[in-house]
PDB file of all heavy atoms in Angstrom:
ATOM      1  N   THR A1193      56.770 134.058 144.937  1.00  0.00           N
ATOM      2  CA  THR A1193      56.315 133.870 143.566  1.00  0.00           C
ATOM      3  C   THR A1193      56.387 132.429 143.105  1.00  0.00           C
ATOM      4  O   THR A1193      55.619 132.008 142.212  1.00  0.00           O
ATOM      5  CB  THR A1193      57.093 134.792 142.578  1.00  0.00           C
ATOM      6  OG1 THR A1193      58.451 134.468 142.707  1.00  0.00           O
ATOM      7  CG2 THR A1193      56.917 136.250 142.885  1.00  0.00           C
ATOM      8  N   GLN A1194      57.337 131.656 143.560  1.00  0.00           N
ATOM      9  CA  GLN A1194      57.473 130.323 143.269  1.00  0.00           C
ATOM     10  C   GLN A1194      56.679 129.406 144.139  1.00  0.00           C
ATOM     11  O   GLN A1194      56.644 129.605 145.350  1.00  0.00           O
ATOM     12  CB  GLN A1194      58.930 129.839 143.261  1.00  0.00           C
ATOM     13  CG  GLN A1194      59.844 130.655 142.369  1.00  0.00           C
ATOM     14  CD  GLN A1194      59.506 130.512 140.948  1.00  0.00           C
ATOM     15  OE1 GLN A1194      59.305 129.435 140.440  1.00  0.00           O
ATOM     16  NE2 GLN A1194      59.517 131.602 140.203  1.00  0.00           N
ATOM     17  N   PRO A1195      55.964 128.394 143.606  1.00  0.00           N
ATOM     18  CA  PRO A1195      55.130 127.515 144.472  1.00  0.00           C
ATOM     19  C   PRO A1195      55.822 126.967 145.676  1.00  0.00           C
ATOM     20  O   PRO A1195      55.314 126.935 146.797  1.00  0.00           O
ATOM     21  CB  PRO A1195      54.632 126.426 143.480  1.00  0.00           C
ATOM     22  CG  PRO A1195      54.722 127.061 142.122  1.00  0.00           C
ATOM     23  CD  PRO A1195      55.871 128.002 142.221  1.00  0.00           C
ATOM     24  N   GLN A1196      57.104 126.529 145.492  1.00  0.00           N
ATOM     25  CA  GLN A1196      57.899 125.895 146.548  1.00  0.00           C
ATOM     26  C   GLN A1196      58.205 126.992 147.653  1.00  0.00           C
ATOM     27  O   GLN A1196      58.561 126.576 148.777  1.00  0.00           O
ATOM     28  CB  GLN A1196      59.131 125.213 146.086  1.00  0.00           C
ATOM     29  CG  GLN A1196      60.238 126.058 145.519  1.00  0.00           C
ATOM     30  CD  GLN A1196      60.101 126.383 143.990  1.00  0.00           C
ATOM     31  OE1 GLN A1196      58.985 126.272 143.475  1.00  0.00           O
ATOM     32  NE2 GLN A1196      61.166 126.807 143.403  1.00  0.00           N
ATOM     33  N   TRP A1197      58.089 128.188 147.396  1.00  0.00           N
ATOM     34  CA  TRP A1197      58.440 129.274 148.351  1.00  0.00           C
ATOM     35  C   TRP A1197      57.274 129.458 149.319  1.00  0.00           C
ATOM     36  O   TRP A1197      57.348 130.386 150.193  1.00  0.00           O
ATOM     37  CB  TRP A1197      58.767 130.556 147.728  1.00  0.00           C
ATOM     38  CG  TRP A1197      60.071 130.468 146.936  1.00  0.00           C
ATOM     39  CD1 TRP A1197      61.014 129.495 146.901  1.00  0.00           C
ATOM     40  CD2 TRP A1197      60.571 131.506 146.091  1.00  0.00           C
ATOM     41  NE1 TRP A1197      62.020 129.821 146.042  1.00  0.00           N
ATOM     42  CE2 TRP A1197      61.787 131.087 145.510  1.00  0.00           C
ATOM     43  CE3 TRP A1197      60.106 132.724 145.586  1.00  0.00           C
ATOM     44  CZ2 TRP A1197      62.537 131.809 144.614  1.00  0.00           C
ATOM     45  CZ3 TRP A1197      60.802 133.469 144.753  1.00  0.00           C
ATOM     46  CH2 TRP A1197      62.056 133.013 144.216  1.00  0.00           C
ATOM     47  N   ASN A1198      56.202 128.740 149.274  1.00  0.00           N
ATOM     48  CA  ASN A1198      54.976 129.051 150.037  1.00  0.00           C
ATOM     49  C   ASN A1198      54.812 128.126 151.167  1.00  0.00           C
ATOM     50  O   ASN A1198      53.735 127.958 151.783  1.00  0.00           O
ATOM     51  CB  ASN A1198      53.765 129.118 149.092  1.00  0.00           C
ATOM     52  CG  ASN A1198      53.811 130.329 148.215  1.00  0.00           C
ATOM     53  OD1 ASN A1198      53.768 131.438 148.670  1.00  0.00           O
ATOM     54  ND2 ASN A1198      53.875 130.078 146.920  1.00  0.00           N
ATOM     55  N   SER A1199      55.875 127.406 151.537  1.00  0.00           N
ATOM     56  CA  SER A1199      55.879 126.472 152.687  1.00  0.00           C
ATOM     57  C   SER A1199      57.234 126.565 153.374  1.00  0.00           C
ATOM     58  O   SER A1199      58.247 126.550 152.630  1.00  0.00           O
ATOM     59  CB  SER A1199      55.608 125.114 152.236  1.00  0.00           C
ATOM     60  OG  SER A1199      55.932 124.144 153.308  1.00  0.00           O
ATOM     61  N   ARG A1200      57.279 126.590 154.660  1.00  0.00           N
ATOM     62  CA  ARG A1200      58.652 126.586 155.360  1.00  0.00           C
ATOM     63  C   ARG A1200      59.357 125.274 155.076  1.00  0.00           C
ATOM     64  O   ARG A1200      60.549 125.245 155.159  1.00  0.00           O
ATOM     65  CB  ARG A1200      58.409 126.812 156.806  1.00  0.00           C
ATOM     66  CG  ARG A1200      57.998 125.608 157.571  1.00  0.00           C
ATOM     67  CD  ARG A1200      58.083 125.844 159.039  1.00  0.00           C
ATOM     68  NE  ARG A1200      57.698 124.697 159.867  1.00  0.00           N
ATOM     69  CZ  ARG A1200      58.475 123.818 160.444  1.00  0.00           C
ATOM     70  NH1 ARG A1200      59.827 123.988 160.271  1.00  0.00           N
ATOM     71  NH2 ARG A1200      58.136 122.800 161.092  1.00  0.00           N
ATOM     72  N   HIS A1201      58.669 124.222 154.665  1.00  0.00           N
ATOM     73  CA  HIS A1201      59.268 122.890 154.422  1.00  0.00           C
ATOM     74  C   HIS A1201      60.044 122.872 153.065  1.00  0.00           C
ATOM     75  O   HIS A1201      60.873 122.000 152.910  1.00  0.00           O
ATOM     76  CB  HIS A1201      58.245 121.847 154.578  1.00  0.00           C
ATOM     77  CG  HIS A1201      57.621 121.742 155.905  1.00  0.00           C
ATOM     78  ND1 HIS A1201      58.203 121.302 157.038  1.00  0.00           N
ATOM     79  CD2 HIS A1201      56.351 122.211 156.250  1.00  0.00           C
ATOM     80  CE1 HIS A1201      57.400 121.438 158.071  1.00  0.00           C
ATOM     81  NE2 HIS A1201      56.236 122.040 157.668  1.00  0.00           N
ATOM     82  N   THR A1202      59.657 123.737 152.148  1.00  0.00           N
ATOM     83  CA  THR A1202      60.230 123.707 150.819  1.00  0.00           C
ATOM     84  C   THR A1202      60.838 125.003 150.381  1.00  0.00           C
ATOM     85  O   THR A1202      61.347 125.131 149.313  1.00  0.00           O
ATOM     86  CB  THR A1202      59.210 123.281 149.788  1.00  0.00           C
ATOM     87  OG1 THR A1202      58.110 124.178 149.815  1.00  0.00           O
ATOM     88  CG2 THR A1202      58.702 121.860 150.085  1.00  0.00           C
ATOM     89  N   ALA A1203      60.765 126.092 151.220  1.00  0.00           N
ATOM     90  CA  ALA A1203      61.148 127.395 150.792  1.00  0.00           C
ATOM     91  C   ALA A1203      62.648 127.679 150.967  1.00  0.00           C
ATOM     92  O   ALA A1203      63.142 128.658 150.425  1.00  0.00           O
ATOM     93  CB  ALA A1203      60.367 128.514 151.621  1.00  0.00           C
ATOM     94  N   ALA A1204      63.391 126.858 151.584  1.00  0.00           N
ATOM     95  CA  ALA A1204      64.794 127.143 151.828  1.00  0.00           C
ATOM     96  C   ALA A1204      65.630 125.881 151.880  1.00  0.00           C
ATOM     97  O   ALA A1204      65.126 124.804 152.429  1.00  0.00           O
ATOM     98  CB  ALA A1204      64.993 127.946 153.173  1.00  0.00           C
ATOM     99  N   GLU A1205      66.814 125.946 151.285  1.00  0.00           N
ATOM    100  CA  GLU A1205      67.726 124.786 151.351  1.00  0.00           C
ATOM    101  C   GLU A1205      68.181 124.560 152.794  1.00  0.00           C
ATOM    102  O   GLU A1205      68.357 123.445 153.248  1.00  0.00           O
ATOM    103  CB  GLU A1205      68.915 125.069 150.468  1.00  0.00           C
ATOM    104  CG  GLU A1205      69.860 123.903 150.330  1.00  0.00           C
ATOM    105  CD  GLU A1205      71.038 124.245 149.396  1.00  0.00           C
ATOM    106  OE1 GLU A1205      70.836 124.984 148.484  1.00  0.00           O
ATOM    107  OE2 GLU A1205      72.135 123.675 149.621  1.00  0.00           O
ATOM    108  N   ASN A1206      68.345 125.656 153.529  1.00  0.00           N
ATOM    109  CA  ASN A1206      68.808 125.556 154.965  1.00  0.00           C
ATOM    110  C   ASN A1206      67.759 126.189 155.807  1.00  0.00           C
ATOM    111  O   ASN A1206      67.886 127.413 156.130  1.00  0.00           O
ATOM    112  CB  ASN A1206      70.146 126.206 155.105  1.00  0.00           C
ATOM    113  CG  ASN A1206      71.210 125.547 154.221  1.00  0.00           C
ATOM    114  OD1 ASN A1206      71.431 124.361 154.310  1.00  0.00           O
ATOM    115  ND2 ASN A1206      71.798 126.289 153.282  1.00  0.00           N
ATOM    116  N   PRO A1207      66.726 125.487 156.310  1.00  0.00           N
ATOM    117  CA  PRO A1207      65.705 126.098 157.171  1.00  0.00           C
ATOM    118  C   PRO A1207      66.181 126.437 158.607  1.00  0.00           C
ATOM    119  O   PRO A1207      65.473 127.076 159.294  1.00  0.00           O
ATOM    120  CB  PRO A1207      64.628 125.031 157.180  1.00  0.00           C
ATOM    121  CG  PRO A1207      65.250 123.807 156.886  1.00  0.00           C
ATOM    122  CD  PRO A1207      66.473 124.082 156.016  1.00  0.00           C
ATOM    123  N   ALA A1208      67.346 125.953 158.975  1.00  0.00           N
ATOM    124  CA  ALA A1208      67.898 126.255 160.315  1.00  0.00           C
ATOM    125  C   ALA A1208      69.347 126.719 160.082  1.00  0.00           C
ATOM    126  O   ALA A1208      70.182 125.894 159.640  1.00  0.00           O
ATOM    127  CB  ALA A1208      67.898 125.091 161.220  1.00  0.00           C
ATOM    128  N   ILE A1209      69.597 127.936 160.352  1.00  0.00           N
ATOM    129  CA  ILE A1209      70.942 128.529 160.121  1.00  0.00           C
ATOM    130  C   ILE A1209      71.611 128.693 161.487  1.00  0.00           C
ATOM    131  O   ILE A1209      71.191 129.525 162.332  1.00  0.00           O
ATOM    132  CB  ILE A1209      70.825 129.862 159.430  1.00  0.00           C
ATOM    133  CG1 ILE A1209      70.126 129.579 158.085  1.00  0.00           C
ATOM    134  CG2 ILE A1209      72.131 130.542 159.249  1.00  0.00           C
ATOM    135  CD1 ILE A1209      69.579 130.828 157.343  1.00  0.00           C
ATOM    136  N   PRO A1210      72.698 127.961 161.737  1.00  0.00           N
ATOM    137  CA  PRO A1210      73.392 128.073 162.973  1.00  0.00           C
ATOM    138  C   PRO A1210      74.164 129.388 163.071  1.00  0.00           C
ATOM    139  O   PRO A1210      74.856 129.781 162.177  1.00  0.00           O
ATOM    140  CB  PRO A1210      74.371 126.903 162.986  1.00  0.00           C
ATOM    141  CG  PRO A1210      74.578 126.589 161.525  1.00  0.00           C
ATOM    142  CD  PRO A1210      73.365 126.937 160.836  1.00  0.00           C
ATOM    143  N   LEU A1211      73.989 130.113 164.129  1.00  0.00           N
ATOM    144  CA  LEU A1211      74.714 131.288 164.382  1.00  0.00           C
ATOM    145  C   LEU A1211      75.958 131.042 165.224  1.00  0.00           C
ATOM    146  O   LEU A1211      76.070 131.525 166.382  1.00  0.00           O
ATOM    147  CB  LEU A1211      73.784 132.366 165.063  1.00  0.00           C
ATOM    148  CG  LEU A1211      72.532 132.696 164.287  1.00  0.00           C
ATOM    149  CD1 LEU A1211      71.630 133.648 165.041  1.00  0.00           C
ATOM    150  CD2 LEU A1211      72.865 133.296 162.869  1.00  0.00           C
ATOM    151  N   VAL A1212      76.727 130.114 164.738  1.00  0.00           N
ATOM    152  CA  VAL A1212      77.845 129.571 165.461  1.00  0.00           C
ATOM    153  C   VAL A1212      79.120 130.485 165.389  1.00  0.00           C
ATOM    154  O   VAL A1212      79.941 130.504 166.313  1.00  0.00           O
ATOM    155  CB  VAL A1212      78.201 128.116 164.985  1.00  0.00           C
ATOM    156  CG1 VAL A1212      78.710 128.115 163.550  1.00  0.00           C
ATOM    157  CG2 VAL A1212      79.080 127.444 165.923  1.00  0.00           C
ATOM    158  N   SER A1213      79.252 131.226 164.256  1.00  0.00           N
ATOM    159  CA  SER A1213      80.371 132.139 164.189  1.00  0.00           C
ATOM    160  C   SER A1213      80.049 133.146 163.097  1.00  0.00           C
ATOM    161  O   SER A1213      79.367 132.926 162.146  1.00  0.00           O
ATOM    162  CB  SER A1213      81.637 131.319 163.824  1.00  0.00           C
ATOM    163  OG  SER A1213      81.562 130.878 162.438  1.00  0.00           O
ATOM    164  N   THR A1214      80.787 134.309 163.216  1.00  0.00           N
ATOM    165  CA  THR A1214      80.624 135.290 162.179  1.00  0.00           C
ATOM    166  C   THR A1214      81.242 134.754 160.814  1.00  0.00           C
ATOM    167  O   THR A1214      80.705 135.195 159.764  1.00  0.00           O
ATOM    168  CB  THR A1214      81.378 136.630 162.549  1.00  0.00           C
ATOM    169  OG1 THR A1214      82.707 136.341 162.844  1.00  0.00           O
ATOM    170  CG2 THR A1214      80.712 137.273 163.770  1.00  0.00           C
ATOM    171  N   LYS A1215      82.171 133.938 160.887  1.00  0.00           N
ATOM    172  CA  LYS A1215      82.781 133.343 159.682  1.00  0.00           C
ATOM    173  C   LYS A1215      81.729 132.538 158.865  1.00  0.00           C
ATOM    174  O   LYS A1215      81.612 132.652 157.668  1.00  0.00           O
ATOM    175  CB  LYS A1215      83.990 132.459 160.040  1.00  0.00           C
ATOM    176  CG  LYS A1215      84.700 131.909 158.836  1.00  0.00           C
ATOM    177  CD  LYS A1215      85.935 131.052 159.278  1.00  0.00           C
ATOM    178  CE  LYS A1215      86.604 130.418 158.106  1.00  0.00           C
ATOM    179  NZ  LYS A1215      87.681 129.591 158.465  1.00  0.00           N
ATOM    180  N   LEU A1216      81.001 131.659 159.602  1.00  0.00           N
ATOM    181  CA  LEU A1216      79.964 130.867 158.919  1.00  0.00           C
ATOM    182  C   LEU A1216      78.835 131.781 158.371  1.00  0.00           C
ATOM    183  O   LEU A1216      78.412 131.597 157.218  1.00  0.00           O
ATOM    184  CB  LEU A1216      79.368 129.869 159.857  1.00  0.00           C
ATOM    185  CG  LEU A1216      78.210 129.030 159.292  1.00  0.00           C
ATOM    186  CD1 LEU A1216      78.756 128.063 158.266  1.00  0.00           C
ATOM    187  CD2 LEU A1216      77.465 128.285 160.362  1.00  0.00           C
ATOM    188  N   VAL A1217      78.412 132.717 159.159  1.00  0.00           N
ATOM    189  CA  VAL A1217      77.337 133.714 158.753  1.00  0.00           C
ATOM    190  C   VAL A1217      77.785 134.424 157.568  1.00  0.00           C
ATOM    191  O   VAL A1217      77.032 134.646 156.610  1.00  0.00           O
ATOM    192  CB  VAL A1217      76.945 134.613 159.889  1.00  0.00           C
ATOM    193  CG1 VAL A1217      75.974 135.665 159.393  1.00  0.00           C
ATOM    194  CG2 VAL A1217      76.265 133.773 161.006  1.00  0.00           C
ATOM    195  N   ALA A1218      79.093 134.844 157.460  1.00  0.00           N
ATOM    196  CA  ALA A1218      79.639 135.614 156.307  1.00  0.00           C
ATOM    197  C   ALA A1218      79.592 134.787 154.996  1.00  0.00           C
ATOM    198  O   ALA A1218      79.511 135.402 153.965  1.00  0.00           O
ATOM    199  CB  ALA A1218      81.013 136.012 156.583  1.00  0.00           C
ATOM    200  N   GLN A1219      79.507 133.451 155.085  1.00  0.00           N
ATOM    201  CA  GLN A1219      79.418 132.660 153.925  1.00  0.00           C
ATOM    202  C   GLN A1219      77.987 132.611 153.313  1.00  0.00           C
ATOM    203  O   GLN A1219      77.807 132.065 152.268  1.00  0.00           O
ATOM    204  CB  GLN A1219      79.833 131.202 154.235  1.00  0.00           C
ATOM    205  CG  GLN A1219      81.310 131.076 154.641  1.00  0.00           C
ATOM    206  CD  GLN A1219      81.682 129.776 155.143  1.00  0.00           C
ATOM    207  OE1 GLN A1219      80.913 128.745 155.089  1.00  0.00           O
ATOM    208  NE2 GLN A1219      82.882 129.647 155.642  1.00  0.00           N
ATOM    209  N   MET A1220      77.073 133.222 154.028  1.00  0.00           N
ATOM    210  CA  MET A1220      75.674 133.252 153.538  1.00  0.00           C
ATOM    211  C   MET A1220      75.279 134.783 153.323  1.00  0.00           C
ATOM    212  O   MET A1220      74.895 135.423 154.223  1.00  0.00           O
ATOM    213  CB  MET A1220      74.747 132.656 154.564  1.00  0.00           C
ATOM    214  CG  MET A1220      75.010 131.167 154.795  1.00  0.00           C
ATOM    215  SD  MET A1220      74.024 130.385 156.095  1.00  0.00           S
ATOM    216  CE  MET A1220      75.126 130.698 157.443  1.00  0.00           C
ATOM    217  N   PRO A1221      75.498 135.217 152.078  1.00  0.00           N
ATOM    218  CA  PRO A1221      75.292 136.667 151.791  1.00  0.00           C
ATOM    219  C   PRO A1221      73.929 137.185 152.263  1.00  0.00           C
ATOM    220  O   PRO A1221      73.945 138.282 152.760  1.00  0.00           O
ATOM    221  CB  PRO A1221      75.476 136.761 150.297  1.00  0.00           C
ATOM    222  CG  PRO A1221      76.261 135.464 149.922  1.00  0.00           C
ATOM    223  CD  PRO A1221      75.833 134.436 150.945  1.00  0.00           C
ATOM    224  N   ALA A1222      72.874 136.500 152.016  1.00  0.00           N
ATOM    225  CA  ALA A1222      71.524 136.982 152.322  1.00  0.00           C
ATOM    226  C   ALA A1222      71.427 137.133 153.874  1.00  0.00           C
ATOM    227  O   ALA A1222      70.931 138.193 154.301  1.00  0.00           O
ATOM    228  CB  ALA A1222      70.461 135.995 151.865  1.00  0.00           C
ATOM    229  N   ILE A1223      71.879 136.233 154.607  1.00  0.00           N
ATOM    230  CA  ILE A1223      71.855 136.312 156.084  1.00  0.00           C
ATOM    231  C   ILE A1223      72.756 137.447 156.622  1.00  0.00           C
ATOM    232  O   ILE A1223      72.450 138.276 157.441  1.00  0.00           O
ATOM    233  CB  ILE A1223      72.158 134.971 156.747  1.00  0.00           C
ATOM    234  CG1 ILE A1223      71.183 133.930 156.345  1.00  0.00           C
ATOM    235  CG2 ILE A1223      72.141 135.115 158.267  1.00  0.00           C
ATOM    236  CD1 ILE A1223      69.766 134.192 156.536  1.00  0.00           C
ATOM    237  N   SER A1224      73.974 137.530 156.044  1.00  0.00           N
ATOM    238  CA  SER A1224      74.876 138.572 156.382  1.00  0.00           C
ATOM    239  C   SER A1224      74.341 139.988 156.156  1.00  0.00           C
ATOM    240  O   SER A1224      74.497 140.920 156.904  1.00  0.00           O
ATOM    241  CB  SER A1224      76.228 138.421 155.645  1.00  0.00           C
ATOM    242  OG  SER A1224      76.865 137.238 155.988  1.00  0.00           O
ATOM    243  N   GLU A1225      73.646 140.096 155.037  1.00  0.00           N
ATOM    244  CA  GLU A1225      72.986 141.338 154.639  1.00  0.00           C
ATOM    245  C   GLU A1225      71.915 141.791 155.643  1.00  0.00           C
ATOM    246  O   GLU A1225      71.774 142.902 156.010  1.00  0.00           O
ATOM    247  CB  GLU A1225      72.545 141.342 153.224  1.00  0.00           C
ATOM    248  CG  GLU A1225      72.031 142.632 152.675  1.00  0.00           C
ATOM    249  CD  GLU A1225      73.047 143.802 152.656  1.00  0.00           C
ATOM    250  OE1 GLU A1225      74.266 143.512 152.708  1.00  0.00           O
ATOM    251  OE2 GLU A1225      72.661 144.974 152.598  1.00  0.00           O
TER     252      GLU A1225
END
C-alpha cells in the first residue's frame, strides 16, 4: 500500500536477513512468525 513498499530496494530496512542463529532470528518477530 505504501509507495516505498513496491521495490525490493526500498521495501525493507533489512533486505538480507542472516540465518546465523535462532537467537538472531528470534529478534525479528515477523521472520520468526
Side-chain angles (χ1 to χ4, degrees):
T1193 57
Q1194 302 296 316
Q1196 69 271 21
W1197 292 351
N1198 292 297
S1199 165
R1200 78 171 180 99
H1201 301 285
T1202 57
E1205 184 178 331
N1206 299 302
I1209 299 166
L1211 301 177
V1212 67
S1213 71
T1214 55
K1215 183 179 177 183
L1216 177 71
V1217 172
Q1219 294 172 8
M1220 295 175 271
I1223 300 303
S1224 295
E1225 185 62 16

